[in-house]
């Protein structure tokens, strides 16, 4: 486990940060951007949880996502290397499949979409849409990092983020199910 007794170290004052115990990288490195975006997504989920009065099933799914997003960040900041001294935390296919099962469970009672959904509806759904877009950004950043560092990164991180954003989309629709989705009307204001 992590022990945090002292919060500031001053080691990042030169524009670098520790990278999974394997040296230092620029704070602008694409790998750091990817796990920083995961951190932001986790914070957006925290806001949705804190202010939205969600039911227990939705809260359980969101708490799972929050924990998994920390796993993704840990995976992204720990390069793959042969025979590591300590087995690193890696995102697994089973985590992706668990999210897919949640998508199926929450999507089942929803009607078929015949248009794109506009972010909004209830405050809870609006917060979930914000979190969804931040997770999408984290996914894009992860794919960019994979393009540069594929041999040292777990590609399941990007796949997990793709499913996580899909789950947040479905959860936003699920939260709006009583009032209905806000749907895009192409050319409505012409």
């Amino acid at each position: 486990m992590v022990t945090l007794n002292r919060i500031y170290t001053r080691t990042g004052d030169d524009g670098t940060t520790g990278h999974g115990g394997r040296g230092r990288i620029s704070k602008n490195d694409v790998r750091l951007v990817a796990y920083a975006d995961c951190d932001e997504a986790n914070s957006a989920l925290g806001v949705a949880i804190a202010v939205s009065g969600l039911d227990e099933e939705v809260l359980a799914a969101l708490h799972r996502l929050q924990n998994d997003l920390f796993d993704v960040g840990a995976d992204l900041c720990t390069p793959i290397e042969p025979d590591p001294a300590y087995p690193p935390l890696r995102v697994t296919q089973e985590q992706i499949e668990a999210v897919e099962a949640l998508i199926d469970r929450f999507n089942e009672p929803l009607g078929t979409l015949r248009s794109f959904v506009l972010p909004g509806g209830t405050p809870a759904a609006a917060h979930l849409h914000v979190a969804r877009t931040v997770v999408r950004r984290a996914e894009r950043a992860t794919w960019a990092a994979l393009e540069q560092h594929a041999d040292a990164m777990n590609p399941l991180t990007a796949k997990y983020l793709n499913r996580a954003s899909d789950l947040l989309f479905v959860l936003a629709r699920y939260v709006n199910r009583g009032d209905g989705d806000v749907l895009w009307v192409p050319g409505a204001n012409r």
Side-chain angles (χ1 to χ4, degrees):
M1 286 308 279
V2 175
T3 303
L4 300 173
N5 292 325
R6 187 169 175 198
I7 302 305
Y8 66 91
T9 62
R10 297 186 179 117
T11 57
D13 292 350
D14 65 352
T16 66
T17 192
H19 187 61
R22 282 133 184 109
R24 301 194 64 78
I25 61 173
S26 166
K27 289 187 178 185
N28 294 315
D29 188 286
V30 291
R31 295 166 293 183
L32 180 108
V33 171
Y35 57 85
D37 286 349
C38 289
D39 187 32
E40 184 181 349
N42 213 328
S43 296
L45 285 175
V47 171
I49 290 167
V51 301
S52 298
L54 297 162
D55 70 46
E56 290 302 316
E57 286 183 285
V58 173
L59 284 172
L62 294 176
H63 287 302
R64 178 188 185 95
L65 276 182
Q66 280 196 301
N67 201 79
D68 282 357
L69 282 172
F70 255 88
D71 289 355
V72 172
D75 193 334
L76 290 170
C77 85
T78 309
I80 292 174
E81 58 184 27
D83 302 317
Y86 301 100
L89 181 62
R90 297 287 179 222
V91 172
T92 66
Q93 183 63 36
E94 291 76 22
Q95 285 174 287
I96 294 168
E97 291 167 3
V99 173
E100 289 172 347
L102 287 170
I103 293 168
D104 293 342
R105 184 259 173 263
F106 286 104
N107 194 52
E108 191 272 325
L110 303 177
T112 302
L113 276 175
R114 307 239 184 266
S115 182
F116 289 103
V117 173
L118 298 177
T122 65
H127 283 297
L128 293 172
H129 278 296
V130 170
R132 171 186 59 79
T133 62
V134 178
V135 171
R136 282 281 189 221
R137 179 166 15 99
E139 179 195 355
R140 290 190 306 273
T142 300
W143 283 116
L146 279 162
E147 285 180 8
Q148 290 186 25
H149 303 281
D151 59 332
M153 291 180 63
N154 177 6
L156 292 179
T157 53
K159 293 177 183 180
Y160 179 88
L161 292 168
N162 184 283
R163 296 310 181 286
S165 63
D166 290 341
L167 176 57
L168 290 169
F169 174 77
V170 168
L171 288 174
R173 290 195 66 218
Y174 184 83
V175 168
N176 272 343
R177 71 192 181 283
D179 299 322
D181 292 311
V182 179
L183 298 177
W184 174 50
V185 179
N189 297 313
R190 283 196 237 171

